[in-house]
Amino acid sequence: MKHLIDIKNLSIEEIDNLINVAQDIMKNKEKYAKKCEGKKLATLFYEPSTRTRLSFEAAMMELGGNVLGFSSANSSSASKGESVADTVRVIGGYADIIAMRHPKEGAPLVAVMKSEVPIINAGDGGHNHPTQTLTDLLTIQCEKHRLSSLTIGICGDLKFGRTVHSLITAMSRYQNIKFVLISPKELKIPDYIKKDILEKNNIDYCETNNLEEYMSELDILYMTRVQKERFFNEDDYIRLKDYYILNKEKLKNAKKDLCIMHPLPRVNEISTDVDDDERACYFKQAKYGKYIRMALILDLLEVK
Ligand code: NCD
């Protein structure tokens, strides 16, 4: 049985295949409308979500399947003290596949050990978010028509941002990738990502706290919000939350074909005056998320 816990669970070939299927789904929606008839997806969300949960549910519905689940720990038996292991064991009797989001790093791995159905990690604490990364890769492929030879600026909360960790892990496997890591010193990329991913794969990267310093070199600018829920102390959050605000002025030296991405939700880090710039891709990105999740569900359920 296949699961998706970490983006490293997928080879480059498997990722390419998912991207191809997602692109085919975008062109031929009717062909896929009944592929999951009679199947159910359970969404077990112990942490807030808008895009991830609803795009998973929309994905399953567009494949002709059904959905069930909960959208907060409070409305599930987790609030009575039930373990993740027991919950997934039970849900495996009600659904064919589970997408799960949990505030604890590693919770989806615990789920895999007890689950009789495929588990998809829809975000575990400040650790990983592989389906956001698949969304990001589909976005880059559709907008830039390549996944290699790119200079990628990643800005904001690189410490707690799980989408950042999974994106760097994935992109480090492609040729000729360069990263510009833009963050305040308190929110720098964790050492394990530097050592085990960037340095191990000889990836060209630099760190700066200045958003404009390398702007003219970037092919992609991936903005992220400061992850309020992972802070231990409210004062630190308040001090750092508006550290970066991308606006039209800051884009004046940027390439004409820059692709501006953001996993969303946006708080203040991109000014709304950027939204009508043709380089703003973040709302399109959210849309791509549904199609790549359709491709992933088909793959994990081994639907031909
Ligand atoms: C991200 C997440 O949950 O990590 N959101 C998402 O899934 N699109 C990013 C965030 O919450 O900042």
Side-chain angles (χ1 to χ4, degrees), residues 47-49 51-52 101 122-123 125 128-129 132 160-163 224-227 229-230 262-265 293:
E47 250 196 0
S49 170
R51 273 148 295 273
T52 305
R101 169 171 287 188
N128 281 325
H129 194 346
Q132 181 62 47
F160 296 118
R162 56 193 172 196
T163 65
T224 64
R225 104 189 136 90
V226 176
Q227 304 280 300
E229 63 275 42
R230 315 264 177 248
H262 191 310
L264 304 177
R293 289 182 174 102

